[in-house]
């Protein structure tokens, strides 16, 4: 099992995605006078900034202070990545945590809690969108029996329940417990109080799209995830379950790294790239440019390079939207229209995945 990073390490990882200018803006908000014991000096390194804030506020309040300031600075996506860390320090029920990176092979979710004396059941759920990929539901009195139900909910339809156990029901009302869920490529493997209990084979196989955890019906002590998911690291591929049709919008929140040279969004059918969108922050010393193209049957088409508006900056967050119309892709950054790309003889209903590459971090790609 990988070590769970400290709060300081997490905060440092988040703040490293600020550019130098924004880091100094943040530091000015934290200098003595705001809270006298905070010894942050404008121009300090990220490591020193985090150390001083944690020392002055304590871990929980340091997360809240930085989250609040990042929101004020319009870094809402970076701020959002701290919400799960804050919740895991002092979780409240019902508990929800966004898993920005989704699940991976060897992700471990650990829930420390206590079953309530008067409740008949509790649950731990893992979600892909509104679907429940894994429903873990101990029931203390179902027709006079103790039952541990496992299931999935896909497109509003519950699958077949699994209730068999090879060992006794492990929970007792009023008693503390530890549930550890190991995610593998094949299944979820559950231990309770360090003893193997059960496996649940994946019914939703796109693990990196399982991006929310919820716990309800218990008294929670803490929830930990290893490795701690902050965001989706690139390359990231989003596999579509439904057909894209006209007027569908692909929405991609992303944060440009402070030293970014380029990033890529590819709208694909299998290995064909129907729309290749690649902003260059420097292109051989030339001005910044957004290159568009397609790759069909292993052959690149003609590049389109005219860039009427280049709205991306280092260390900033954006919401990129790609609107699919009858004839073309229309690309927006927020509400600002950037450019169009005319379809090149392909059928957009064959699109089956979106890939994001290079110098950005991203999460929660959506098609709606």
């Amino acid at each position: 099992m990988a070590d769970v990073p400290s709060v300081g390490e997490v905060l440092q990882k988040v703040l490293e995605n600020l550019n130098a200018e924004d880091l100094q803006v943040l530091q000015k908000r934290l200098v003595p006078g705001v809270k006298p014991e905070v010894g942050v000096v404008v121009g300090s390194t990220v490591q020193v900034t985090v150390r001083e804030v944690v020392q002055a506020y304590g871990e929980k309040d340091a997360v809240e202070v930085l989250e609040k300031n990042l929101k004020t600075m319009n870094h809402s996506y970076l701020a959002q990545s701290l919400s799960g860390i804050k919740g895991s320090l002092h979780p409240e029920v019902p508990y929800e945590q966004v898993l920005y990176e989704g699940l991976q092979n060897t992700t471990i979710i650990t829930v420390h809690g206590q079953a309530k004396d008067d409740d008949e059941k509790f649950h731990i759920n893992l979600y892909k969108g509104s679907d429940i990929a894994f429903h873990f539901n101990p029931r203390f009195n179902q027709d006079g029996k103790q039952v541990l139900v496992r299931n999935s909910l896909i497109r509003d339809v519950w699958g077949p329940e699994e209730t068999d156990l090879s060992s006794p029901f492990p929970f007792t009302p009023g008693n503390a417990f530890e549930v550890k869920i190991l995610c593998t490529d094949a299944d979820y493997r559950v231990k309770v109080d360090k003893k193997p209990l059960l496996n649940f084979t994946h019914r939703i196989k796109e693990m990196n799209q399982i991006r929310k955890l919820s716990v309800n019906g218990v008294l929670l002590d803490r929830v930990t995830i290893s490795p701690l998911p902050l965001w989706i690291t690139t390359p990231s591929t989003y596999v579509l379950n439904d057909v894209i049709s006209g007027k569908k919008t692909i929405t991609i929140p992303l944060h440009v790294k402070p030293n970014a040279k380029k990033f890529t969004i590819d709208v694909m059918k299998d290995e064909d790239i129907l729309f290749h969108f690649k902003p260059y922050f420097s292109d051989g010393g030339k001005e910044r440019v957004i290159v568009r193209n397609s790759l069909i049957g292993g052959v690149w088409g003609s590049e389109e390079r005219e860039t009427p508006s280049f709205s991306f900056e280092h260390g900033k967050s954006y919401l990129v939207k790609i609107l699919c119309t009858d004839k073309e892709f229309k690309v927006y950054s927020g509400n600002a229209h950037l450019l169009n790309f005319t379809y090149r003889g392909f059928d957009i209903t064959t699109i089956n995945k979106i890939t994001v590459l290079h110098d950005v971090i991203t999460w929660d790609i959506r098609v709606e």
Side-chain angles (χ1 to χ4, degrees):
M1 174 179 172
D3 292 335
V4 177
S6 68
V7 170
E9 290 171 330
V10 171
L11 294 178
Q12 183 171 332
K13 183 176 179 181
V14 171
L15 296 191
E16 283 173 350
N17 287 283
L18 294 175
N19 60 29
E21 179 183 353
D22 283 351
L23 178 60
Q24 290 191 13
V25 170
L26 176 64
Q27 289 167 339
K28 288 176 182 178
R29 294 171 174 270
L30 301 171
V31 294
V34 178
K35 187 175 177 71
E37 56 268 43
V38 180
V40 175
V41 176
V42 176
S44 298
T45 64
V46 169
Q47 185 176 10
V48 170
T49 301
V50 169
R51 184 190 67 207
E52 293 294 333
V53 173
V54 171
Q55 183 175 325
Y57 287 94
E59 289 184 342
K60 179 177 183 292
D61 288 345
V63 173
E64 290 187 350
V65 165
L66 291 175
E67 180 187 22
K68 179 179 179 180
N69 278 285
L70 287 170
K71 284 181 179 177
T72 303
M73 295 167 60
N74 294 321
H75 284 296
S76 56
Y77 301 133
L78 293 182
Q80 196 175 27
S81 71
L82 296 177
S83 62
I85 297 111
K86 183 175 64 175
S88 68
L89 293 172
H90 295 276
E92 297 180 358
V93 177
Y95 175 82
E96 288 190 355
Q97 179 165 340
V98 178
L99 311 175
Y100 292 95
E101 200 169 31
L103 297 180
Q104 307 169 45
N105 185 30
T106 73
T107 295
I108 297 175
I109 299 168
T110 306
V111 178
H112 293 265
Q114 179 180 326
K116 296 181 180 180
D117 289 319
D118 55 349
D119 274 2
E120 295 188 352
K121 60 185 177 181
F122 71 89
H123 76 245
I124 301 171
N125 287 343
L126 289 166
Y127 290 84
K128 176 194 172 191
S130 59
D131 290 345
I132 301 176
F134 181 34
H135 174 65
F136 180 85
N137 180 209
R139 302 176 185 178
F140 295 96
N141 185 5
Q142 180 172 291
D143 299 327
K145 297 180 181 179
Q146 294 177 322
V147 181
L148 207 167
V149 173
R150 293 87 70 192
N151 209 336
S152 59
L153 178 71
I154 301 175
R155 295 179 180 172
D156 294 324
V157 178
W158 285 104
E161 288 188 348
E162 299 181 15
T163 58
D164 291 343
L165 290 177
S166 58
S167 56
F169 185 85
F171 302 101
T172 302
N175 285 7
F177 63 80
E178 176 195 82
V179 174
K180 192 179 294 289
I181 302 172
L182 169 64
C183 307
T184 75
D185 287 334
D187 54 19
Y188 302 99
R189 301 179 184 181
V190 181
K191 291 183 178 181
V192 175
D193 297 330
K194 305 189 185 304
K195 297 178 181 178
L197 180 66
L198 59 89
N199 297 347
F200 183 81
T201 302
H202 290 305
R203 299 178 185 177
I204 294 179
K205 300 185 183 300
E206 300 86 7
M207 292 175 60
N208 66 343
Q209 295 178 38
I210 298 171
R211 294 180 183 161
K212 188 174 78 172
L213 164 71
S214 76
V215 184
N216 202 1
V218 295
L219 301 172
L220 273 184
D221 178 31
R222 65 186 184 278
V223 178
T224 59
I225 298 176
S226 177
L228 187 66
L230 293 176
W231 39 62
I232 302 171
T233 54
T234 55
S236 171
T237 298
Y238 180 87
V239 178
L240 304 184
N241 289 329
D242 298 314
V243 170
I244 282 190
S245 58
K247 303 303 181 183
K248 289 279 189 179
T249 300
I250 302 165
T251 303
I252 306 170
L254 56 84
H255 181 86
V256 179
K257 293 183 178 181
N259 58 349
K261 294 182 179 179
K262 62 186 176 184
F263 70 89
T264 301
I265 299 172
D266 286 334
V267 180
M268 305 180 68
K269 175 194 179 295
D270 300 327
E271 299 308 310
D272 286 345
I273 302 174
L274 308 186
F275 179 35
H276 176 71
F277 176 87
K278 179 179 285 188
Y280 283 92
F281 290 84
S282 60
D283 185 18
K286 299 179 182 179
E287 292 185 3
R288 297 180 297 178
V289 64
I290 300 176
V291 173
R292 291 88 69 195
N293 208 337
S294 59
L295 177 70
I296 310 296
V299 179
W300 283 105
S302 56
E303 282 190 351
E304 299 179 17
R305 300 176 65 90
E306 183 180 352
T307 306
S309 175
F310 191 100
S311 63
F312 304 106
E313 301 291 340
H314 290 116
K316 300 290 187 180
S317 298
Y318 300 92
L319 189 66
V320 175
K321 298 178 182 178
I322 303 174
L323 173 63
C324 307
T325 72
D326 294 335
K327 298 180 180 180
E328 60 193 358
F329 296 110
K330 292 181 177 289
V331 183
Y332 297 81
S333 175
N335 294 321
H337 177 247
L338 296 183
L339 53 88
N340 300 334
F341 183 81
T342 303
Y343 300 149
R344 296 182 174 180
F346 48 74
D347 180 0
I348 64 168
T349 64
T350 63
I351 294 170
N352 56 17
K353 60 183 175 182
I354 316 295
T355 298
V356 182
L357 302 167
H358 303 127
D359 301 331
V360 292
I361 52 178
T362 186
W363 54 92
D364 196 28
I365 299 170
R366 296 184 182 181
V367 178
E368 49 195 11

